[in-house]
Amino acid sequence: PFYSALNKLKRFDLHRGQEVSFPKSRIAEFNTLNDELKKLMDKVSDDYQNLKEFTENMSHETQTPLAIIRSKLELLLQSENLQPDQITAVYATLEAVNRLSKMNRGLILLTRIENEQFTEEQELNLSKIIHAQLDLLDSFIQSRGIHVEFNPNESLKIIMNPYLADILVSNLLSNAIKYNVENGKMKITFSENALTFANSGTPMSVDGHTVFERFRKGQSKAGIGMGLSIVKRIADFYHFQPSYKYEDGMHYFTIYFNRSKLVMG
């Protein structure tokens, strides 16, 4: 009875929504233990489903009113009767709404990752994902005068959820653009089992060991301080190792991959 219960615990998977049952034993103590285990596992399953539904509902119910507020403020800005101080107030409110919307999406994404709702995986070419993201952000890169050096590794592929892979690359790339200096440099390099995004910039005012913590920011007031915490959570999800260092005027953000997720062509 003990090993039977232990085996069921090992195979228990929240994502399948399976109902667990334990066989009856001739030993009363094992029956009592199994009954308590079943109650606990049912409670965990119910809590997981409730949290999953809450996350999905929160994403829908909050984004809709925020989008309405944003559109109304944008329409208000087109009014010809606004005074300069009123225009300033509307712009400040619109910026706060946009900030809140981004924060809401970021927190929901973190919750979904923590609840392991991204289980679908496939073999992906990271170099192609980076090329696509560079194309999307090219106007921002050009406007900052940033010189980009990218050494792709087409033979390296990784097994990940496609959406999380896009978010991982997008956040690291956006961070390298946002916190770069005017006419600065950005380098994207692969090693045998790692990917590094480096950007020029001044030293950060926060401890390098806390750079991946939620809402941590450097000297810049831009952003909402969640991009790197999402990178960290995705890395934890796949047992990757994120690393940061500042050297010779460059910030280096490196993701060391779990070798079990790598596919070399």
Side-chain angles (χ1 to χ4, degrees):
F2 171 79
Y3 290 107
S4 175
L6 185 61
N7 187 47
K8 286 184 178 292
L9 287 173
K10 288 180 177 179
R11 291 186 299 165
F12 178 64
D13 188 349
L14 276 173
H15 307 108
R16 296 178 183 174
Q18 60 194 38
E19 186 173 343
V20 180
S21 61
F22 296 92
K24 289 294 182 181
S25 170
R26 291 177 294 175
I27 302 172
E29 287 79 4
F30 276 121
N31 287 329
T32 302
L33 176 63
N34 290 342
D35 287 343
E36 294 303 316
L37 282 174
K38 178 170 173 49
K39 290 178 184 177
L40 177 61
M41 295 167 79
D42 288 345
K43 179 68 166 58
V44 169
S45 294
D46 289 342
D47 288 347
Y48 171 77
Q49 290 300 323
N50 289 335
L51 187 56
K52 183 178 178 181
E53 290 177 10
F54 169 78
T55 303
E56 293 170 352
N57 291 337
M58 177 67 74
S59 175
H60 174 73
E61 297 298 335
T62 57
Q63 287 298 323
T64 301
L66 284 172
I68 293 172
I69 295 171
R70 187 187 303 112
S71 65
K72 296 295 185 183
L73 288 170
E74 289 171 350
L75 283 174
L76 185 59
L77 283 172
Q78 299 176 23
S79 174
E80 298 178 355
N81 301 322
L82 289 179
Q83 300 299 316
D85 58 336
Q86 294 174 323
I87 294 175
T88 301
V90 174
Y91 267 119
T93 306
L94 184 59
E95 184 178 347
V97 170
N98 288 332
R99 186 181 177 89
L100 180 60
S101 180
K102 291 178 182 178
M103 185 181 297
N104 179 59
R105 288 196 299 269
L107 289 171
I108 290 169
L109 176 60
L110 283 171
T111 303
R112 293 184 66 193
I113 296 172
E114 288 165 2
N115 290 338
E116 300 184 356
Q117 292 178 231
F118 297 96
T119 55
E120 178 191 349
E121 296 179 349
Q122 65 188 62
E123 189 176 298
L124 303 169
N125 186 318
L126 278 178
S127 292
K128 289 184 178 179
I129 294 174
I130 294 171
H131 274 303
Q133 293 286 347
L134 284 172
D135 288 341
L136 285 173
L137 296 171
D138 182 65
S139 60
F140 296 102
I141 295 171
Q142 296 296 330
S143 67
R144 300 288 306 281
I146 298 172
H147 175 69
V148 179
E149 296 179 20
F150 176 37
N151 299 313
N153 184 348
E154 300 293 345
S155 64
L156 186 146
K157 296 179 176 61
I158 193 163
I159 301 172
M160 286 183 68
N161 177 276
Y163 179 70
L164 292 186
D166 273 338
I167 293 295
L168 180 72
V169 170
S170 175
N171 283 10
L172 287 169
L173 184 57
S174 297
N175 184 78
I177 297 171
K178 184 185 300 181
Y179 298 106
N180 213 317
V181 297
E182 294 296 326
N183 302 311
K185 295 185 296 184
M186 178 168 61
K187 298 180 181 179
I188 307 171
T189 56
F190 284 96
S191 63
E192 182 182 354
N193 67 323
L195 171 62
T196 298
F197 285 77
N199 65 276
S200 50
T202 57
M204 289 192 294
S205 59
V206 298
D207 189 333
H209 296 292
T210 65
V211 71
F212 290 101
E213 292 181 11
R214 194 175 303 180
F215 301 119
R216 291 280 184 175
K217 293 187 292 185
Q219 295 174 341
S220 172
K221 296 181 179 179
I224 56 174
M226 293 184 62
L228 291 177
S229 66
I230 292 174
V231 167
K232 175 67 164 59
R233 191 61 195 89
I234 294 173
D236 291 344
F237 184 71
Y238 287 106
H239 303 291
F240 299 160
Q241 182 62 48
S243 173
Y244 166 78
K245 70 175 181 179
Y246 182 76
E247 188 175 272
D248 298 329
M250 297 285 288
H251 299 276
Y252 292 86
F253 293 89
T254 301
I255 303 296
Y256 293 94
F257 299 117
N258 179 349
R259 290 184 179 273
S260 67
K261 294 291 185 181
L262 292 178
V263 179
M264 298 300 295

